[in-house]
Amino acid sequence: MTDLKKWKLLQSRLVINNQWCQVRQDEVELPNGKIIDDFFINVRPDIALVFPVTAQQEIVFVRQYRHGVGEVLLELPAGAFNPQEEIAEVAASRELTEETGYVAEKLIRLATLYDNPVKDTNSIHLFIAENMIKSQQQELDITEEIEVVLIPVYEVIQRVLMGEINVCGTITAIFLGLEYLHKYKI
């Protein structure tokens, strides 16, 4: 058993509150009694992320521009959702279909992880979907321009090692998805 203690929240207020960004300023008391009055927290929605595998053993990736880093990145289909309004499985299935046009017959939860627990409030819900079928056109948001990229499962790790795939949540889902396939399917 640990003797570590939680911080005591004394006061909290939203200092930025709009559609694209919410930031909370907390006043906290540390276990040693010290008060910090400007600990800022990013209030973020949860993320549903899918490791989609086709019947041909290809992984369905998306390539898109990410303004935060100013780069076009190769990553797995994912999207934000509010867990008070939608369950993670529904959000994952919806985002997969909207971004790629592929439909998941069944999703299996791989893990639920914290994204950045120091400063962010959200979790990432990771799923695997097998035997993906392309059933419709993409339904992209105004901020999205997405290229669907199919990569054979045996090439995925090499692409991570070469730096072509370099988004943390995607890499975590890749390793958990490959472990799932190795453990349960091979």
Side-chain angles (χ1 to χ4, degrees):
M1 193 59 130
T2 182
D3 289 335
L4 296 175
K5 294 180 176 50
K6 292 182 178 183
W7 296 0
K8 182 178 178 185
L9 180 63
L10 302 175
Q11 193 175 41
S12 185
R13 67 184 181 98
L14 281 178
V15 292
I16 299 175
N17 185 16
N18 74 31
Q19 171 185 352
W20 302 104
C21 180
Q22 288 187 320
V23 178
R24 190 179 78 210
Q25 180 179 2
D26 289 352
E27 180 180 350
V28 296
E29 181 180 345
L30 305 180
N32 64 9
K34 181 166 174 50
I35 305 281
I36 297 177
D37 65 357
D38 61 352
F39 198 89
F40 292 93
I41 302 292
N42 299 307
V43 180
R44 298 185 57 205
D46 280 11
I47 302 294
L49 189 147
V50 184
F51 182 78
V53 185
T54 68
Q56 296 75 33
Q57 295 299 292
E58 296 171 311
I59 310 303
V60 182
F61 282 89
V62 293
R63 182 176 283 128
Q64 60 188 323
Y65 175 73
R66 294 303 199 179
H67 189 66
V69 295
E71 298 287 338
V72 174
L73 300 174
L74 186 61
E75 54 193 323
L76 291 171
F81 73 100
N82 181 337
Q84 281 75 44
E85 297 174 2
E86 185 177 32
I87 63 172
E89 289 83 352
V90 171
S93 181
R94 174 182 46 75
E95 287 292 335
L96 174 67
T97 302
E98 287 176 1
E99 290 186 358
T100 69
Y102 282 82
V103 173
E105 181 179 300
K106 178 181 173 186
L107 291 170
I108 297 168
R109 183 181 294 273
L110 295 171
T112 300
L113 310 169
Y114 292 113
D115 189 13
N116 176 12
V118 174
K119 292 286 188 174
D120 295 348
T121 60
N122 68 322
S123 295
I124 300 179
H125 305 264
L126 307 175
F127 296 91
I128 187 170
E130 295 180 273
N131 300 319
M132 302 303 304
I133 297 170
K134 176 90 169 166
S135 69
Q136 66 182 58
Q137 296 298 313
Q138 295 168 300
E139 296 176 17
L140 303 177
D141 295 336
I142 193 169
T143 62
E144 296 175 318
E145 182 180 357
I146 295 175
E147 175 189 4
V148 176
V149 180
L150 301 177
I151 299 175
V153 70
Y154 62 85
E155 287 184 19
V156 171
I157 294 296
Q158 187 61 35
R159 300 233 187 164
V160 171
L161 295 173
M162 292 178 355
E164 183 180 352
I165 300 170
N166 56 8
V167 178
C168 289
T170 288
I171 292 172
T172 302
I174 287 169
F175 280 99
L176 292 173
L178 292 175
E179 175 64 18
Y180 176 89
L181 291 174
H182 177 72
K183 187 173 185 179
Y184 298 106
K185 301 299 178 184
I186 297 176

